Amino acid sequence: MGLAQMLRVLRGRAFLFTCIVLAVVTGVAVISLLSPKKYVSELALVVALQGNDPMKEAPIAPSLVPTFLATQTEIIKSRNVALKVIEKTGLANNPEVVAAFHDSGADTDLNSWLVENLLRNVDAKTGRTSNIIRIGYASRDPYEAAALANAFADAYIQTSLELQVDPARRQVTWYEQQVSQLRDELVAAQGRLSKYQADHGVLGVDAARMDVENARLQEISNQLVAVQAQMFDANARTKQITSSEQLDSLPDLMKNPTIQSLKQELARAESKLAEVSERYGVNHPQYIASNAEVASLKSKLNVEIGVTRGSLVQSAEMARRQVGDVQRALEEQKDRIIALKRQQDELSVLTRDIESARTAYDAALQQANQTKLESRVDRTNVAILNQAMPPLLPDSPKILLNLVVGLFAGIALAIGLILTLEVCNRRLRSAEDLADFTDLPVLAELPALPAAARRHRRREVQRALKLQPNVAQAN
């Protein structure tokens, strides 16, 4: 069926079309007028995106703002907020509300029934380019709508505050326990340090003392080198004087004035003995006296050489003992430095333990104090911009909108119904319909009568039918 045929069908059934449209529009109008009026009261909340403490919290990232605001709208429409509204407004104690609950026949408790009804009528929405949340509540009473919208705003602000404060309050006890434990650990670390200092007689890690001990070690090392050189020299001189056969060439004997003096006297005495031996015989008193003098000088010289040799041996022994003493002093100094180093290491460990315990204690104490302050916060990042006021006009039913919708619905229903009737009882309304229906060419087409002539013709036919009852019955 083409568009032209559809228009001819609708024109042919214009009366039915008009009746259907009027019926639908009238029904919509009656239903809209009889429907209970519902008022919607709305308020506006401003949410600060930098948090409730601008000096502490950083602003929320722009990409997270929609998610944050959507979360806030979900909180507003939560059961927790609805329960606070019930408690704040005393709905559970209202006799009318209780009676309505019993009449509803609900199989839940009163609070659950009230929560379900409140959340069904409340709405929260946000703007696309603002941080304003609008809370609306729908009710048959405009004053009730305003009161419950304001109650939802107050309950949301209280819930938002609890969501910020309650975790901090729960953390305060834990932080206090941690602070107490860390304080005990700090006291224990300080006690270990004090006990170690008392047991070992040290006051602390002193770098100057270590420098003094190292300088003393170096001094002892230098002394050891010096006495070792003396010992080697004494041993060499002792070995020379005990093993050498040419004593006259030994430096120690050549430097000894007594030995040199005896050697000179011995040379004179031997020279004198040689002169006397040329003159006199061995039994001559002068020869015997000269020979005795030479023997005496030799004896003194040997004694003096022996004394010098013994002095060198004694010097070498003393040098060896001195080397041993210096070596023992060097080992003792090394042990003292090692012990001092060990003490310094122990003190450093104990000191680091104290510093670590103090750092942990200070951090925990600072966090505990901050958590205590957060648990006492009494303000949120939400503020009421506009309070909800009782609306003057109802939000629904919207009579004009309903009539427009009813008009279009009636037109659509009329078109559908007329086309259905036309399909079920097809009529010929034009030459094109006759040609399509019979597949025969149309030879002639009578012009349509004017409307007045058609009405006159219709009245004549009806009058004729009334004058011929038999014909009417037969028909």
Side-chain angles (χ1 to χ4, degrees):
M1 185 180 294
L3 180 60
Q5 291 178 338
M6 292 177 59
L7 293 177
R8 287 193 292 270
V9 170
L10 294 177
R11 186 169 61 249
R13 297 180 183 270
F15 180 75
L16 179 61
F17 178 84
T18 304
C19 291
I20 294 174
V21 172
L22 289 177
V24 173
V25 172
T26 303
V28 170
V30 172
I31 293 173
S32 299
L33 292 175
L34 295 179
S35 297
K37 296 180 180 180
K38 183 174 289 187
Y39 295 86
V40 176
S41 181
E42 190 177 76
L43 61 81
L45 298 175
V46 178
V47 181
L49 300 180
Q50 73 272 13
N52 61 342
D53 189 357
M55 299 300 294
K56 171 188 169 185
E57 299 183 7
I60 299 175
S63 60
L64 300 178
V65 170
T67 303
F68 175 77
L69 294 178
T71 302
Q72 302 309 305
T73 59
E74 293 296 328
I75 294 175
I76 293 172
K77 296 185 288 186
S78 65
R79 179 181 176 87
N80 189 6
V81 173
L83 289 174
K84 286 183 173 61
V85 172
I86 295 172
E87 180 181 359
K88 181 179 180 62
T89 58
L91 290 176
N93 300 323
N94 191 329
E96 296 179 359
V97 174
V98 175
F101 167 69
H102 292 300
D103 294 340
S104 66
D107 56 354
T108 60
D109 60 302
L110 177 59
N111 282 338
S112 299
W113 182 78
L114 285 172
V115 167
E116 183 179 355
N117 284 274
L118 289 175
L119 296 181
R120 187 185 303 117
N121 295 318
V122 72
D123 185 31
K125 55 187 177 180
T126 60
R128 293 184 177 179
T129 58
S130 67
N131 57 330
I132 295 178
I133 300 177
R134 300 186 182 276
I135 301 177
Y137 191 85
S139 176
R140 296 181 181 180
D141 185 358
Y143 294 95
E144 182 184 38
L148 288 176
N150 291 324
F152 262 96
D154 295 338
Y156 162 65
I157 293 175
Q158 182 181 356
T159 302
S160 178
L161 179 62
E162 290 176 355
L163 292 176
Q164 294 177 3
V165 173
D166 287 349
R169 289 177 177 173
R170 289 192 296 269
Q171 291 175 2
V172 166
T173 302
W174 183 84
Y175 273 115
E176 289 179 349
Q177 295 176 353
Q178 296 301 314
V179 168
S180 178
Q181 181 179 354
L182 292 173
R183 185 189 300 112
D184 294 339
E185 293 179 358
L186 177 60
V187 172
Q190 291 175 341
R192 289 193 297 270
L193 177 61
S194 300
K195 184 178 183 301
Y196 184 84
Q197 289 176 338
D199 294 341
H200 296 81
V202 293
L203 298 178
V205 179
D206 189 1
R209 182 180 177 185
M210 180 62 71
D211 294 339
V212 171
E213 296 296 336
N214 288 327
R216 186 176 179 184
L217 178 65
Q218 184 63 36
E219 182 181 355
I220 295 175
S221 299
N222 295 334
Q223 292 179 0
L224 178 61
V225 173
V227 296
Q228 284 179 341
Q230 294 177 2
M231 181 189 68
F232 294 148
D233 182 65
N235 289 335
R237 290 161 61 189
T238 303
K239 185 176 181 181
Q240 288 178 354
I241 203 171
T242 54
S243 60
S244 179
E245 296 181 354
Q246 298 179 356
L247 297 178
D248 294 341
S249 60
L250 294 178
D252 291 317
L253 298 181
M254 295 179 63
K255 294 178 181 179
N256 193 326
T258 305
I259 294 177
Q260 294 300 322
S261 176
L262 290 175
K263 289 176 67 176
Q264 292 177 0
E265 293 181 0
L266 178 60
R268 288 193 301 269
E270 287 179 348
S271 175
K272 182 179 179 179
L273 178 60
E275 292 178 358
V276 171
S277 61
E278 291 179 356
R279 293 181 182 179
Y280 307 105
V282 295
N283 293 322
H284 192 276
Q286 289 185 1
Y287 180 84
I288 294 173
S290 297
N291 190 23
E293 184 181 4
V294 169
S296 175
L297 290 173
K298 287 182 178 180
S299 177
K300 290 180 179 181
L301 181 60
N302 291 331
V303 170
E304 191 64 29
I305 291 174
V307 170
T308 302
R309 185 185 292 111
S311 177
L312 291 175
V313 172
Q314 186 177 3
S315 298
E317 183 64 25
M318 289 179 62
R320 285 192 293 270
R321 285 197 301 267
Q322 189 174 5
V323 168
D325 294 339
V326 174
Q327 287 179 341
R328 284 191 297 272
L330 182 63
E331 295 298 328
E332 291 176 357
Q333 185 65 19
K334 289 181 180 180
D335 295 339
R336 187 180 297 107
I337 292 177
I338 292 173
L340 182 60
K341 180 63 176 176
R342 189 181 299 111
Q343 290 177 359
Q344 289 184 345
D345 293 339
E346 293 290 338
L347 289 174
S348 298
V349 172
L350 295 174
T351 303
R352 284 195 297 270
D353 290 343
I354 294 175
E355 293 175 355
S356 177
R358 182 179 290 109
T359 301
Y361 172 72
D362 292 340
L365 183 61
Q366 181 181 0
Q367 188 63 37
N369 293 333
Q370 181 178 353
T371 305
K372 286 181 181 179
L373 292 177
E374 292 177 356
S375 66
R376 298 172 184 172
V377 173
D378 59 351
R379 60 189 181 91
T380 65
N381 59 336
V382 181
I384 297 178
L385 180 61
N386 295 321
Q387 288 280 354
M389 301 299 293
L392 300 177
L393 299 176
D395 184 72
S396 65
K398 294 179 173 57
I399 298 177
L400 182 59
L401 178 61
N402 292 343
L403 290 176
V404 173
V405 174
L407 176 61
F408 284 101
I411 292 173
L413 179 62
I415 292 173
L417 182 59
I418 290 172
L419 292 179
T420 302
L421 292 175
E422 185 69 19
V423 172
C424 295
N425 186 13
R426 186 68 182 272
R427 295 182 181 183
L428 298 176
R429 301 184 183 278
S430 63
E432 290 81 2
D433 293 343
L434 180 60
D436 294 338
F437 185 75
T438 61
D439 292 333
L440 297 175
V442 177
L443 300 178
E445 182 179 358
L446 298 176
L449 295 175
R454 288 198 303 272
R455 288 193 296 270
H456 178 74
R457 179 63 177 169
R458 189 179 298 111
R459 285 194 299 268
E460 292 293 331
V461 172
Q462 291 176 355
R463 186 180 301 114
L465 291 176
K466 289 180 179 180
L467 294 176
Q468 300 178 1
N470 294 331
V471 177
Q473 292 177 358
N475 293 337

